[in-house]
Amino acid sequence: LRLSSEQHAAASLRDAVLPTEPELAATPGLAVRGICRSPERTGRVAGDWYDVLPLAGGRTVLVVGDVAGSGLTATTAAAQLRSAVRAYSLLGMSPVELLAALNRMLCELDPDRLATLLIADYEPSLRRLRWSAAGQAGPIRYYPDGAAEPLGGPIGVPVGAVPQVSYAGAEIQLAPGEQ
């Protein structure tokens, strides 16, 4: 009964922090789709999450994350990371700076927790996509003809793994019709 109650609480928390359709469609010229499912074989809610944060001036911050572990502790950590990304983004931090701040936060406040993250920042007026990765693969570029290509770039260690770490970023200009 306790396990079932914890699973219900974790699923409710995950569902509460994932973006909804209005948030996904909030950025003109940017189509965002996402789904987050727990692995059926485990029966546990995982620490997977994503977020879309439209900011003043037209910028949008996009995040894909995975907190190590499962259940209520992983889901709670994912919610805390989501809130931290949102708060730090309002300070104008770049994806590289965001990862460094999140790493420091985890190392100091929850030293036994690890998470992988991909943070991207899209500026539609410049058609510029900047991103930084901590243990996650880079974004995928979709061309108007339907072809897709993974974008290269450095992949740093997961946040929470090493207290003093530097993250690197990458940047591209998107052509009209690319996603």
Side-chain angles (χ1 to χ4, degrees), residues 124-149:
S125 63
L126 303 173
R127 300 200 56 78
R128 179 177 72 181
L129 180 70
R130 298 181 302 166
W131 72 94
S132 187
Q136 283 276 12
I140 298 186
R141 177 186 216 164
Y142 289 93
Y143 294 97
D145 66 1
E149 160 190 40

Side-chain angles (χ1 to χ4, degrees), residues 14-72:
R14 180 203 56 210
D15 294 344
V17 299
L18 290 176
T20 60
E21 191 60 38
E23 291 169 311
L24 293 174
T27 303
L30 184 64
V32 179
R33 302 288 181 262
I35 189 167
C36 192
R37 294 186 187 157
S38 295
E40 297 289 328
R41 67 187 180 283
T42 66
R44 307 237 336 145
V45 176
D48 303 323
W49 61 285
Y50 64 95
D51 199 11
V52 178
L53 179 61
L55 298 171
R59 280 182 45 231
T60 299
V61 175
L62 306 146
V63 186
V64 175
D66 182 11
V67 175
S70 63
L72 192 54

Side-chain angles (χ1 to χ4, degrees), residues 110-128:
D110 197 357
D112 295 328
R113 183 73 51 206
L114 291 174
T116 61
L117 291 157
L118 169 67
I119 301 177
D121 181 325
Y122 178 65
E123 290 185 63
S125 63
L126 303 173
R127 300 200 56 78
R128 179 177 72 181

